Amino acid sequence: MFKPLLFVAAIALFGITASFAPGAMPQEAAQPPAAGAVNPVKPTAHSQARARKIYGIDCAMCHGDNGDGKTDLARDMELTLKDWSDPKTLAARPNQELFSIIRSGKGKMPPEAEGRAKDDEVWNLILYIRSMARQRPAAAPTPAAAPVASN
Ligand code: HEC
Protein backbone atom coordinates (compact mmCIF):
# COMPACT_ATOMS: atom_id res chain seq x y z
CA MET A 1 0.00 0.00 0.00
CA PHE A 2 2.72 2.50 0.92
CA LYS A 3 5.29 1.66 -1.69
CA PRO A 4 3.39 3.05 -4.70
CA LEU A 5 2.71 6.23 -2.73
CA LEU A 6 6.38 6.56 -1.83
CA PHE A 7 7.27 5.93 -5.43
CA VAL A 8 4.93 8.64 -6.65
CA ALA A 9 6.21 11.01 -3.98
CA ALA A 10 9.79 10.25 -4.99
CA ILE A 11 9.04 10.95 -8.63
CA ALA A 12 7.39 14.23 -7.66
CA LEU A 13 10.44 15.07 -5.60
CA PHE A 14 13.10 14.31 -8.16
CA GLY A 15 11.15 15.58 -11.14
CA ILE A 16 9.27 13.52 -13.66
CA THR A 17 12.01 13.88 -16.28
CA ALA A 18 14.87 12.69 -14.07
CA SER A 19 15.98 9.18 -14.91
CA PHE A 20 14.99 7.19 -11.91
CA ALA A 21 15.67 3.57 -11.08
CA PRO A 22 13.08 2.22 -8.66
CA GLY A 23 15.45 -0.59 -7.74
CA ALA A 24 17.85 1.96 -6.31
CA MET A 25 15.44 3.06 -3.60
CA PRO A 26 16.83 2.35 -0.16
CA GLN A 27 15.04 -0.61 1.39
CA GLU A 28 16.73 -0.35 4.77
CA ALA A 29 14.05 1.67 6.57
CA ALA A 30 11.69 -0.43 8.67
CA GLN A 31 8.33 -0.73 6.99
CA PRO A 32 5.19 -0.03 8.98
CA PRO A 33 3.22 -3.18 9.82
CA ALA A 34 0.54 -2.15 7.33
CA ALA A 35 2.99 -2.74 4.50
CA GLY A 36 1.02 -5.78 3.40
CA ALA A 37 1.20 -9.51 3.40
CA VAL A 38 4.90 -9.67 2.57
CA ASN A 39 7.21 -9.96 5.53
CA PRO A 40 9.36 -6.80 5.30
CA VAL A 41 12.40 -8.24 7.07
CA LYS A 42 15.04 -10.55 5.73
CA PRO A 43 16.19 -13.10 8.27
CA THR A 44 19.82 -13.02 9.30
CA ALA A 45 21.60 -15.34 11.70
CA HIS A 46 21.62 -12.50 14.22
CA SER A 47 17.95 -11.52 13.87
CA GLN A 48 16.81 -15.14 14.05
CA ALA A 49 18.96 -15.76 17.14
CA ARG A 50 17.25 -12.75 18.70
CA ALA A 51 13.82 -14.08 17.65
CA ARG A 52 14.64 -17.46 19.17
CA LYS A 53 15.58 -15.73 22.41
CA ILE A 54 12.38 -13.64 22.56
CA TYR A 55 10.34 -16.71 21.68
CA GLY A 56 12.00 -18.69 24.47
CA ILE A 57 11.17 -16.01 27.03
CA ASP A 58 7.73 -14.80 25.93
CA CYS A 59 6.11 -17.51 23.84
CA ALA A 60 7.50 -20.99 24.49
CA MET A 61 5.74 -21.42 27.82
CA CYS A 62 2.46 -21.67 25.92
CA HIS A 63 3.38 -22.62 22.36
CA GLY A 64 6.28 -24.95 23.21
CA ASP A 65 9.91 -24.86 22.09
CA ASN A 66 9.02 -26.60 18.85
CA GLY A 67 5.70 -24.77 18.40
CA ASP A 68 3.46 -27.80 18.81
CA GLY A 69 1.52 -26.15 21.65
CA LYS A 70 1.70 -29.17 23.91
CA THR A 71 2.85 -27.46 27.10
CA ASP A 72 1.91 -27.76 30.76
CA LEU A 73 0.78 -24.14 30.83
CA ALA A 74 -1.45 -24.61 27.80
CA ARG A 75 -3.04 -27.60 29.52
CA ASP A 76 -3.46 -25.74 32.82
CA MET A 77 -5.00 -22.72 31.08
CA GLU A 78 -7.11 -24.98 28.87
CA LEU A 79 -5.74 -23.30 25.76
CA THR A 80 -6.51 -24.64 22.32
CA LEU A 81 -3.20 -24.22 20.52
CA LYS A 82 -2.44 -25.12 16.97
CA ASP A 83 0.53 -27.30 16.07
CA TRP A 84 2.99 -25.15 14.11
CA SER A 85 5.29 -28.10 13.51
CA ASP A 86 2.69 -29.28 11.02
CA PRO A 87 3.50 -27.40 7.78
CA LYS A 88 -0.23 -27.09 6.97
CA THR A 89 -1.09 -25.12 10.11
CA LEU A 90 0.25 -21.67 9.24
CA ALA A 91 0.61 -22.06 5.49
CA ALA A 92 -2.59 -20.18 4.65
CA ARG A 93 -2.41 -17.60 7.47
CA PRO A 94 -1.27 -14.19 6.16
CA ASN A 95 1.73 -12.56 7.83
CA GLN A 96 -0.33 -9.47 8.57
CA GLU A 97 -2.83 -11.50 10.58
CA LEU A 98 -0.07 -13.18 12.59
CA PHE A 99 1.51 -9.79 13.21
CA SER A 100 -1.77 -8.39 14.57
CA ILE A 101 -2.33 -11.39 16.83
CA ILE A 102 1.19 -11.17 18.26
CA ARG A 103 1.04 -7.40 18.74
CA SER A 104 -2.54 -7.13 19.99
CA GLY A 105 -3.17 -10.55 21.49
CA LYS A 106 -6.24 -12.67 20.84
CA GLY A 107 -8.52 -14.50 23.24
CA LYS A 108 -6.28 -15.91 25.97
CA MET A 109 -3.10 -14.91 24.18
CA PRO A 110 -1.54 -11.80 25.74
CA PRO A 111 -0.30 -8.98 23.48
CA GLU A 112 3.46 -8.65 22.93
CA ALA A 113 4.22 -5.02 23.83
CA GLU A 114 6.62 -2.86 21.78
CA GLY A 115 8.91 -2.68 24.79
CA ARG A 116 9.41 -6.46 24.56
CA ALA A 117 9.61 -6.84 20.79
CA LYS A 118 9.90 -4.01 18.28
CA ASP A 119 8.10 -4.30 14.95
CA ASP A 120 11.08 -5.82 13.14
CA GLU A 121 11.49 -8.29 15.97
CA VAL A 122 7.85 -9.35 15.64
CA TRP A 123 8.40 -9.89 11.90
CA ASN A 124 11.43 -12.03 12.74
CA LEU A 125 9.32 -13.95 15.27
CA ILE A 126 6.90 -14.75 12.45
CA LEU A 127 9.76 -16.05 10.29
CA TYR A 128 11.02 -18.06 13.24
CA ILE A 129 7.58 -19.56 13.92
CA ARG A 130 7.12 -20.44 10.26
CA SER A 131 10.53 -22.14 10.21
CA MET A 132 9.27 -24.61 12.82
CA ALA A 133 7.17 -26.27 10.16
CA ARG A 134 10.18 -27.07 8.05
CA GLN A 135 11.79 -29.17 10.75
CA ARG A 136 9.42 -31.99 9.95
CA PRO A 137 9.23 -32.96 6.30
CA ALA A 138 5.70 -33.06 4.94
CA ALA A 139 4.43 -36.54 4.23
CA ALA A 140 5.20 -37.41 0.64
CA PRO A 141 1.98 -37.40 -1.38
CA THR A 142 1.01 -40.83 -2.62
CA PRO A 143 0.36 -40.66 -6.35
CA ALA A 144 -2.71 -42.87 -5.98
CA ALA A 145 -4.28 -40.39 -3.54
CA ALA A 146 -3.83 -37.38 -5.80
CA PRO A 147 -7.19 -35.88 -6.76
CA VAL A 148 -8.13 -36.43 -10.38
CA ALA A 149 -9.32 -33.36 -12.22
CA SER A 150 -12.97 -33.86 -13.14
CA ASN A 151 -13.18 -31.46 -16.05
C1 HEC B 1 -0.55 -17.39 27.67
C2 HEC B 1 -0.25 -18.27 26.54
C3 HEC B 1 0.33 -17.64 25.29
C4 HEC B 1 1.52 -16.96 25.16
C5 HEC B 1 2.51 -16.58 26.25
C6 HEC B 1 1.66 -16.67 23.74
N1 HEC B 1 0.58 -17.15 23.05
FE1 HEC B 1 0.32 -17.10 21.03
N2 HEC B 1 -1.52 -17.90 21.21
C7 HEC B 1 -2.08 -18.30 22.41
C8 HEC B 1 -3.45 -18.69 22.15
C9 HEC B 1 -4.44 -19.20 23.20
C10 HEC B 1 -3.67 -18.53 20.77
C11 HEC B 1 -4.98 -18.80 20.00
C12 HEC B 1 -5.76 -17.49 19.99
C13 HEC B 1 -7.16 -17.65 19.39
O1 HEC B 1 -7.25 -17.92 18.19
O2 HEC B 1 -8.12 -17.49 20.15
C14 HEC B 1 -2.44 -18.03 20.21
C15 HEC B 1 -2.27 -17.75 18.87
C16 HEC B 1 -1.08 -17.31 18.30
C17 HEC B 1 -0.86 -17.06 16.90
C18 HEC B 1 -1.89 -17.21 15.76
C19 HEC B 1 -1.72 -18.51 15.05
C20 HEC B 1 -2.36 -19.64 15.77
O3 HEC B 1 -1.67 -20.65 15.98
O4 HEC B 1 -3.55 -19.55 16.13
C21 HEC B 1 0.43 -16.65 16.77
C22 HEC B 1 1.15 -16.28 15.49
C23 HEC B 1 1.00 -16.61 18.11
N3 HEC B 1 0.06 -17.03 19.00
C24 HEC B 1 2.30 -16.22 18.36
C25 HEC B 1 2.78 -16.02 19.65
C26 HEC B 1 4.06 -15.42 19.92
C27 HEC B 1 5.07 -14.98 18.87
C28 HEC B 1 4.18 -15.32 21.27
C29 HEC B 1 5.30 -14.70 22.07
C30 HEC B 1 5.61 -13.33 21.75
C31 HEC B 1 2.98 -15.90 21.84
N4 HEC B 1 2.16 -16.30 20.83
C32 HEC B 1 2.74 -16.01 23.20
C33 HEC B 1 -1.47 -18.32 23.64
C34 HEC B 1 -0.25 -17.74 23.95
Side-chain angles (χ1 to χ4, degrees):
M1 282 301 251
F2 286 87
K3 267 192 180 162
L5 272 180
L6 280 177
F7 186 59
V8 168
I11 289 179
L13 209 65
F14 290 112
I16 277 272
T17 51
S19 81
F20 182 75
M25 281 182 77
Q27 296 289 320
E28 299 297 317
Q31 303 252 353
V38 177
N39 194 319
V41 300
K42 292 265 178 289
T44 63
H46 178 75
S47 72
Q48 284 299 288
R50 172 95 183 116
R52 180 196 299 265
K53 189 172 177 199
I54 296 173
Y55 184 89
I57 297 169
D58 287 351
C59 322
M61 75 279 246
C62 284
H63 289 284
D65 287 335
N66 63 355
D68 69 4
K70 297 180 185 26
T71 57
D72 292 344
L73 186 55
R75 203 180 317 114
D76 291 349
M77 288 180 71
E78 298 180 354
L79 305 177
T80 315
L81 295 180
K82 302 211 164 82
D83 179 0
W84 300 335
S85 66
D86 181 342
K88 289 192 290 294
T89 306
L90 292 175
R93 305 280 298 266
N95 283 329
Q96 187 57 56
E97 185 199 358
L98 303 185
F99 189 101
S100 304
I101 292 174
I102 295 170
R103 183 57 94 215
S104 312
K106 186 181 176 199
K108 290 183 181 168
M109 167 154 163
E112 179 76 345
E114 286 233 34
R116 300 195 63 82
K118 295 191 282 297
D119 281 359
D120 64 320
E121 290 170 331
V122 172
W123 287 117
N124 273 293
L125 275 170
I126 293 172
L127 291 168
Y128 181 68
I129 289 169
R130 287 196 187 280
S131 77
M132 291 170 172
R134 284 180 222 128
Q135 290 166 11
R136 196 169 71 188
T142 17
V148 178
S150 56
N151 49 350

